[in-house]
């Protein structure tokens, strides 16, 4: 069912969050074969993790352009938000790191930009090997902000065997900067970065598969569960509305939300709990044990 919400909705459920200072958050470095270097990530555990032998669902939470793995911990306006969500929904939350303007691509031109392979192969294997997870599609979801929203949509569409649900907050649902409300200097920078990573691509329909609007057919074929939201004052609201329209035309079910807000941490702090509530209705709660442990 598609929901289109123009006004801010306050979920009274989240008043009941109880912050727990003892919730465990680990920062880890591991070797990536795809990138041939060590990469950092943080993982947040619910308090119950150390009290049983169950495997837990995992939500992968992606950062935006210029960011890193620590952003979702340090920049949210509700201190301890990830710990609260981990405890409320009994999930592990993984915040990985990629190149600052890499858009989670495997570049056809740059060997150093292989972040699609890193996330979908190296990192997921690392998490399922090292921690007690539900190591199946039914136990994984992925979402992110801005560039991370693009990454979540792209990775979910191209690897539907890995994720039960995907999301995007203020996401770059179309990399065509002609539809972004930004100044010419920023527009030119992004175009040059895209050209360096991808070469010459088609920005008009039929869209390139390097952009989310070019992956709708894949999403529809696999019946992917999806939530998208964007602030009404966001510089990316036009591409999010375009994406929503194309999904409707394709007959693909999804949740689409607009509420007042801009491209900032106040908006993303408010948006994230909606995504976890959406995922909670989809992720398996059987806590299947990880067969690798």
């Amino acid at each position: 069912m598609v929901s289109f919400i123009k006004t801010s909705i306050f979920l009274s459920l989240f008043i009941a969050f109880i912050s727990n200072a003892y919730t465990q958050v680990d920062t880890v470095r591991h070797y990536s074969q795809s990138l041939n270097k060590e990469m950092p990530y943080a993982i947040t555990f619910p308090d119950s993790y150390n009290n049983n032998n169950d495997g837990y669902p995992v939500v992968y939470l992606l950062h935006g352009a210029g960011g890193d793995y620590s952003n979702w911990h340090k920049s949210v306006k509700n201190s301890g938000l990830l710990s609260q969500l981990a405890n409320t929904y009994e999930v592990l939350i993984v915040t990985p790191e990629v190149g600052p303007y890499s858009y989670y691509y495997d570049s056809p031109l740059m060997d150093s930009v292989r972040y699609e392979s890193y996330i979908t192969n190296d990192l997921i294997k690392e998490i399922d090997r090292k921690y007690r997870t539900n190591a199946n599609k039914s136990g994984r979801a992925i979402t992110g902000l801005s560039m991370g929203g693009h990454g979540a949509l792209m990775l979910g569409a191209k690897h539907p065997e890995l994720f039960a649900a995907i999301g995007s907050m203020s996401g770059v649902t179309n990399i065509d900067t002609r539809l972004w409300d930004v100044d010419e200097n920023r527009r030119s920078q992004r175009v040059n970065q895209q050209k360096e990573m991808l070469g010459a691509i088609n920005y008009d329909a039929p869209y390139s598969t390097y952009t989310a609007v070019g992956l709708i057919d894949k999403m529809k074929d696999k019946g992917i569960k999806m939530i998208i939201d964007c602030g009404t004052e966001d510089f990316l609201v036009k591409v999010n509305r375009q994406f929503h329209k194309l999904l409707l035309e394709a007959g693909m079910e999804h949740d689409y939300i607009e509420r007042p807000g801009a491209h900032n941490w106040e908006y993303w702090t408010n948006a994230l709990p909606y995504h976890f509530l959406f995922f909670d209705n989809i992720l398996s709660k059987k806590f299947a044990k990880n067969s690798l442990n």
Side-chain angles (χ1 to χ4, degrees), residues 59-76:
V59 176
Y60 290 83
L61 184 56
L62 309 184
H63 67 76
D68 61 38
Y69 75 93
S70 70
N71 285 168
W72 277 107
H73 296 270
K74 295 180 178 179
S75 299
V76 289

